[in-house]
Amino acid sequence: MINTLSSLLHRAGISLSDQQKHQLVSYVGMLDKWNKAYNLTSVRDPQQMLIRHIMDSIVVAPYLEGRKFIDVGTGPGLPGIPLSIVCPHAHFTLLDSLGKRVRFLRQVQHELKLENITPVQSRVEAFTDEPLFDGVISRAFASLQDMVSWCHHLPAAGQGRFYALKGQVPDEELSALPEHLVLESVISLQVPDLEGERHLVILKQQ
């Protein structure tokens, strides 16, 4: 697994320490083990998890601005756990409404000794924190409209951004955004061995 991950990282032009690689592989091992009882992800093959979960998450890292982020609807910690491993100087709140997922996240936090994550069980509309966040990240929200509507209270005024991980460019969603949102950029992401398109949509509130 380490060799496979090293090869994928090399092809993506990403450099990580041996410790970071071991943490990522250990996370995949935990995901695989807990998945059998908790049904955390539809991806069953650990080799595919490296591509579709780990690489698909960490290619976003170079585009994140700031040090305090929230991963809304994180599920089993995607993309928050991989990002917390490759961005050790940033802090990630991992928010999910399902208790079994948050229990898994706390176990990951304990076993991998991740000091820069805070797993939280809550509905996103009911959660807030001080200070507010530099970035609100989402990988599995239904639409940009829902993300912005449910998370409008989370990004810090002026500098806070929304980071939405998408497949194809969501042109219809982008054309229907409210006026107080500015589309900062749409970035095409390259994930080795992953079929289909991947894009990062970055929005900012005026």
Side-chain angles (χ1 to χ4, degrees):
M1 289 283 278
I2 288 283
N3 290 342
T4 303
L5 177 61
S6 295
S7 171
L8 290 166
L9 291 168
H10 178 72
R11 289 163 58 198
I14 298 171
S15 177
L16 296 179
S17 69
D18 286 344
Q19 182 192 4
Q20 287 170 312
K21 291 178 190 176
H22 281 289
Q23 284 179 310
L24 290 169
V25 167
S26 296
Y27 171 59
V28 168
M30 292 186 68
L31 201 48
D32 181 45
K33 178 178 152 190
W34 280 60
N35 206 30
K36 294 173 176 65
Y38 274 44
N39 199 26
L40 297 168
T41 167
S42 59
V43 181
R44 300 293 177 195
D45 175 15
Q47 298 283 344
Q48 281 297 310
M49 288 181 187
L50 284 178
I51 299 164
R52 293 168 63 182
H53 289 337
I54 302 301
M55 297 302 300
D56 195 37
S57 295
I58 65 176
V59 291
V60 175
Y63 307 104
L64 300 180
E65 292 188 34
R67 298 189 62 164
K68 186 180 181 187
F69 300 94
I70 182 167
D71 177 9
V72 292
T74 186
L78 297 164
I81 295 280
L83 285 173
S84 74
I85 291 170
V86 302
C87 306
H89 301 299
H91 187 276
F92 294 83
T93 297
L94 308 180
L95 191 76
D96 203 274
S97 59
L98 268 189
K100 67 177 183 179
R101 294 177 185 152
V102 175
R103 282 194 293 279
F104 171 70
L105 295 173
R106 290 191 179 123
Q107 191 62 29
V108 172
Q109 180 181 28
H110 172 70
E111 288 195 26
L112 300 189
K113 297 179 172 57
L114 296 176
E115 297 180 358
N116 63 331
I117 65 169
T118 304
V120 176
Q121 182 180 350
S122 172
R123 293 178 59 80
V124 66
E125 307 96 301
F127 180 76
T128 189
D129 196 19
E130 289 293 337
L132 291 170
F133 296 92
D134 297 317
V136 178
I137 305 169
S138 110
R139 186 170 181 252
F141 260 57
S143 71
L144 294 174
Q145 281 79 0
D146 285 346
M147 180 187 185
V148 169
S149 168
W150 296 339
C151 306
H152 66 90
H153 59 295
L154 295 173
Q159 81 258 27
R161 290 173 173 80
F162 293 100
Y163 297 91
L165 283 70
K166 292 285 187 177
Q168 295 179 322
V169 179
D171 289 319
E172 283 189 18
E173 294 176 25
L174 289 170
S175 64
L177 284 173
E179 289 183 0
H180 68 276
L181 280 167
V182 176
L183 174 62
E184 207 160 75
S185 51
V186 178
I187 298 157
S188 178
L189 301 169
Q190 304 305 316
V191 184
D193 291 346
L194 186 72
E195 291 184 13
E197 297 180 33
R198 283 290 185 274
H199 291 87
L200 175 64
V201 177
I202 304 177
L203 305 171
K204 195 172 181 183
Q205 297 191 107
Q206 294 204 63

